[in-house]
Amino acid sequence: MKNIHEYLEGNYSNQELIFDYYFYKKIQSYGGFANNNDKYIYYLVKLILDVNNGGLIGYFSSTNFEEIVQTIDILNKISARKNAELLSKAVRISNFTKDFDKNLEIGHSFYSSLSEKQEKELGELDRNFLKNEEDFMELFLHYLKHEKELEKLSEQNKSLENDHDLER
């Protein structure tokens, strides 16, 4: 199993990253995530696989409200604005809320809660999501690389500050 730094430094495809990391993190998620980047990958890959497999209805059926909100935040953080907007619109159309999570626990299905109009609108958003050319996994890798560079700069600045303090 490769760690995230091997992906950043290597020449791996997004698909390899997606499937390798998703299944590893799905298993590990039951015990919690090692860090935020692991959680971000898990949520983004879950979105890709669920929408490709069962559309937004499938995604909402297997995802709780808090995870959806965090996924939208992650999409915005990595500058995947179109995808964040599509997912936010799907939440509004479906009226998905924290309260709906409670209904799912009782045994109600997300699909059965939708009107024909909502199903049609979510179907249109599915098509928009799938044809959207914004590659948010590529944006995420770019975000991670940039974050790593910022960490190095921060460490260099701390080192310079320490050196400066020692000269005094």
Side-chain angles (χ1 to χ4, degrees):
M1 168 57 58
K2 298 171 201 71
N3 67 37
I4 192 64
H5 298 293
E6 290 174 292
Y7 286 106
L8 292 174
E9 294 163 3
N11 193 11
Y12 300 98
S13 71
N14 284 351
Q15 196 166 26
E16 184 179 6
L17 170 70
I18 288 168
F19 290 105
D20 199 7
Y21 235 81
Y22 179 76
F23 291 109
Y24 175 73
K25 291 303 165 190
K26 176 117 177 132
I27 293 166
Q28 189 181 26
S29 71
Y30 293 105
F33 295 102
N35 58 49
N36 277 341
N37 290 335
D38 287 346
K39 181 169 62 172
Y40 295 170
I41 284 181
Y42 174 77
Y43 287 146
L44 293 174
V45 172
K46 182 177 184 346
L47 175 63
I48 291 170
L49 294 179
D50 285 358
V51 171
N52 282 318
N53 187 38
L56 288 163
I57 291 174
Y59 174 70
F60 286 137
S61 295
S62 66
T63 310
N64 69 45
F65 183 76
E66 185 58 35
E67 289 174 343
I68 294 169
V69 169
Q70 288 186 25
T71 302
I72 292 168
D73 288 344
I74 294 162
L75 290 168
N76 280 315
K77 182 181 276 193
I78 65 172
S79 300
R81 307 261 187 263
K82 291 176 188 173
N83 285 294
E85 183 179 316
L86 287 170
L87 189 53
S88 295
K89 189 172 184 178
V91 170
R92 287 190 302 277
I93 288 170
S94 65
N95 297 318
F96 199 96
T97 65
K98 287 182 183 180
D99 292 336
F100 194 81
D101 282 348
K102 293 174 189 163
N103 291 336
L104 288 176
E105 289 171 9
I106 296 169
H108 297 92
S109 79
F110 176 76
Y111 181 77
S112 66
S113 72
L114 298 173
S115 69
E116 265 186 55
K117 181 181 178 196
Q118 288 171 308
E119 284 182 52
K120 184 178 178 181
E121 289 175 346
L122 287 172
E124 182 62 31
L125 283 178
D126 282 344
R127 288 183 284 285
N128 290 337
F129 185 87
L130 294 171
K131 72 180 180 181
N132 182 358
E133 294 184 15
E134 187 177 65
D135 183 346
F136 57 80
M137 288 310 293
E138 188 64 37
L139 289 169
F140 179 68
L141 288 173
H142 177 75
Y143 166 83
L144 287 177
K145 288 177 184 177
H146 181 70
E147 185 181 72
K148 191 174 179 183
E149 290 168 8
L150 288 176
E151 284 177 17
K152 284 182 185 176
L153 286 174
S154 177
E155 288 173 16
Q156 289 172 351
N157 284 341
K158 286 179 184 176
S159 177
L160 288 173
E161 287 173 4
N162 289 339
D163 290 346
H164 182 70
D165 288 343
L166 291 175
E167 290 176 2
R168 289 186 189 170

